[in-house]
């Protein structure tokens, strides 16, 4: 077995083991909290009509939240990186041959796996809660697949860059504030057309809006494009923006991560621990 | 023990400077294959800095370093596979089960077996070797401090390293855990295949485990040799105390036996309360530590962070 085959196998295995851990015991309650809360929100929105358009708000929101959960992969990666740098997991990986590569392959598998599980938790009951989702055609699954794939790469690679630059888990907590704000203006829970133009412009720079739009385009009937900006699903633009983020992330992430990994050593982890103890004490 | 001619570790004129602050000044030593080397010194002497440079986790300001034939910062992945590292105890992989973690970390070494060395170490065998058989299915965070440390050693040797680094491996141990750990290291050393370098500030530990002790103080190796050689080369004079006609005397001398012989020849039965206290390596080391601690400038320690325990 060559080292590169070996590291892909070990990394994937690592990802699957940590995926299992992420949904075991107490963690399960933690993991279910947000998807279930989101489903409850969708449930109460299911019969509300959006501005006399004849479209139900719940039907609009259901695919949008799928997009939002894909974007949350970014937060997951930031949390993993800051916590595991502090507790020495990353340093441990560094002591192994090809360990850092194995570590990141593992993280990609775990995070993507978590997101797939979230999407299933949302979509399976969601299909029964709201009417009018288009689940039966190959076209919708194809669109869902490419938006999902591009979204996972874009948000996780950007998340890795941010995770490497943020110095501690508290910083990761701070990061979720702008992300929440961004979700607020990205047309997830209410169509973006109700927002002022300048907020619409900001939202369209970031991936969350486009992930929501992409998911709506996959799962909603075509005539519902009428309530979107420019009355179109804008697949080309979706591909362009998500692709650009993915490209930026894929170029930057290895550079930043390598720099971060190079700095790790036993005394640095000791330093993290002392700082962490000071925060607690 | 007969030493191999093969050099596993060579350090020549190693220097490390943080800002204007020289943490290591001209550190020079070498280790033969299979040798157990203890780097001994008070806190802040530069032990951790030295070992991190050898592990390839820290750059250096000057000097030549070769570990298993490679310059550590440029060691490739196959070099990395021949190195084992036992870090000071961390909290990583808490949710993993012991057996699962060892099998996983071992899998990275599978591509690096040679004709002589089969990598990785078989998981069940290794778990038994470090005495964790009953804990194999436990989560790592549920282990006691001593068990966790044995797991750390197991992880350090899972790839059957040719060179093993241990940084302060017994800091915070109770005496029983310490003894168990010493037996583990001596067992590894007995094979003669693994070169071991450990840092400690405990002289007794260094004497028990190491073929050779180096004392690092203020960024320099101030003593280097077998425990016996050090006692000879480094140690001061014995102390002889006696009373004669109600008067107490103290005298320091290198040749205490001869001195006492002369004393009796001269005074015969008149000598009372004779005590000969041989100078020990410990005395010398402790005085060194005391000196280092009393002159310890906080700024000097800044680059050599070792966790307070």
């Amino acid at each position: 077995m060559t080292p590169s085959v070996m590291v892909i196998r070990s990394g994937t295995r690592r990802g699957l083991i940590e995926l299992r851990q992420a949904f075991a015991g107490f963690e399960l309650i933690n993991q279910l909290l947000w998807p279930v809360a989101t489903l409850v929100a969708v449930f109460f929105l299911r019969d509300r009509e959006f501005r006399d358009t004849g479209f139900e708000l719940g039907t609009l929101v259901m695919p949008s939240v799928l997009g939002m959960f894909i974007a949350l992969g970014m937060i997951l990666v930031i949390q993993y990186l800051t916590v595991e740098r502090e507790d020495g997991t990353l340093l441990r990986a560094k002591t192994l041959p090809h360990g850092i590569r194995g570590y990141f392959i593992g993280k990609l598998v775990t995070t993507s796996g978590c997101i797939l599980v979230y999407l299933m938790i949302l979509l399976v009951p969601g299909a029964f809660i709201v009417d009018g989702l288009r689940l039966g055609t190959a076209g919708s699954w194809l669109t869902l697949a490419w938006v999902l794939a591009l979204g996972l790469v874009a948000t996780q690679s950007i998340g890795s860059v941010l995770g490497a630059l943020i110095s501690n888990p508290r910083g990761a907590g701070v990061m979720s504030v702008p992300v929440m704000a961004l979700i607020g203006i990205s047309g997830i829970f209410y169509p973006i057309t109700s927002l002022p133009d300048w907020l619409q412009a900001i939202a369209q720079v970031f991936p969350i809006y486009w992930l929501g739009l992409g998911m709506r385009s996959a799962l909603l009937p075509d005539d519902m494009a009428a309530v979107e900006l420019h009355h179109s699903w804008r697949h080309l633009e979706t591909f362009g923006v998500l692709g650009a983020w993915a490209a930026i992330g894929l170029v930057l992430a290895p550079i930043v991560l390598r720099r971060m990994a190079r700095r790790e050593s036993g005394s640095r982890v000791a330093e993290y621990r002392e700082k962490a103890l000071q925060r607690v004490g | 023990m007969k030493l191999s001619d093969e050099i596993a570790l060579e350090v020549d004129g190693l220097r490390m400077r943080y800002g204007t602050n020289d943490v290591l000044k001209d550190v020079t030593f070498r280790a033969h294959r299979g040798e157990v080397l203890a780097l001994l010194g008070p806190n802040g002497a530069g032990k951790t800095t030295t070992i991190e440079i050898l592990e390839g986790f820290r750059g250096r300001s000057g000097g030549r370093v070769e570990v298993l034939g490679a310059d550590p910062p440029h060691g490739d992945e196959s070099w990395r596979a021949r190195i084992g590292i036992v870090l000071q105890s961390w909290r990583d992989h808490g949710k993993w089960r012991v057996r699962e973690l060892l099998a996983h970390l071992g899998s990275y070494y599978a591509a690096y077996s040679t004709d002589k060395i089969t990598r990785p170490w078989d998981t069940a065998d290794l778990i038994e070797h470090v005495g964790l058989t009953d804990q194999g299915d436990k989560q790592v965070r549920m282990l006691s401090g001593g068990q966790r440390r044995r797991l750390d050693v197991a992880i350090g040797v899972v790839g059957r390293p040719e060179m093993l680094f241990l940084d302060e491996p017994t800091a915070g141990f109770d005496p029983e855990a310490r003894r168990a750990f010493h037996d583990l290291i001596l067992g590894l050393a007995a094979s003669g295949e693994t070169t071991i370098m450990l840092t400690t500030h405990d002289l007794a530990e260094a004497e028990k485990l190491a073929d050779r002790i180096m004392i690092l103080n203020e960024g320099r190796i101030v003593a280097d040799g077998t425990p016996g050689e050090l006692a000879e080369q480094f140690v001061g004079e014995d102390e002889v105390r006696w009373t004669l006609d109600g008067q107490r005397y103290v005298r320091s001398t290198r040749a205490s036996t001869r001195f006492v012989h002369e004393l009796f020849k001269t005074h015969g039965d008149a000598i009372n309360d004779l005590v000969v206290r041989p100078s020990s390596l410990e005395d010398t080391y402790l005085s060194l530590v005391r000196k280092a601690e009393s002159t310890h400038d906080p700024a000097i320690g800044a680059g050599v962070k070792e966790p307070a325990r």
Side-chain angles (χ1 to χ4, degrees), chain B residues 140-205:
Chain B
V140 170
R141 61 178 163 191
M142 300 300 181
L143 299 180
S144 72
Q147 290 167 348
R148 165 88 220 204
R149 214 70 195 101
R150 275 182 276 163
L151 174 63
D152 280 335
V153 176
I155 293 172
V157 300
V158 70
R160 290 200 183 271
E162 290 154 60
M163 176 81 227
L164 176 64
F165 293 107
L166 305 108
D167 193 8
E168 299 277 348
T170 57
F173 270 28
D174 62 42
E176 198 183 333
R178 188 176 292 252
R179 198 170 321 117
F181 177 84
H182 288 168
D183 291 344
L184 186 62
I185 296 299
L186 290 170
L188 284 173
S191 72
E193 291 299 318
T194 311
T195 311
I196 300 177
M197 175 164 175
L198 59 103
T199 68
T200 175
H201 52 251
D202 178 359
L203 175 70
E205 180 165 284

Side-chain angles (χ1 to χ4, degrees), chain B residues 89-117:
Chain B
S89 100
W90 308 130
R91 305 155 291 162
D92 63 312
H93 290 98
K95 288 184 201 164
W96 288 63
R97 293 178 196 290
V98 169
R99 197 183 312 280
E100 185 179 63
L101 181 61
L102 279 174
H104 172 69
L105 296 180
S107 73
Y108 288 79
Y109 295 92
Y112 298 97
S113 278
T114 63
D115 298 340
K116 279 170 72 184
I117 306 169

Side-chain angles (χ1 to χ4, degrees), chain A residues 209-266:
Chain A
Y209 167 75
W210 298 100
L211 284 167
L213 177 67
M215 287 291 133
R216 287 195 294 278
S217 81
L219 297 176
L220 298 181
D222 282 339
D223 58 343
M224 285 185 88
V227 292
E228 299 294 341
L229 291 171
H230 307 286
H231 310 293
S232 151
W233 292 130
R234 295 200 285 170
H235 275 162
L236 207 61
E237 289 90 331
T238 305
F239 188 86
V241 175
L242 292 180
W245 278 103
I248 294 170
L250 286 177
V251 169
L252 285 185
I255 301 170
V256 179
L257 291 172
R258 209 173 297 137
R259 203 193 64 152
M260 171 184 79
R262 209 172 25 230
R263 287 158 44 132
E264 296 308 305
S265 69

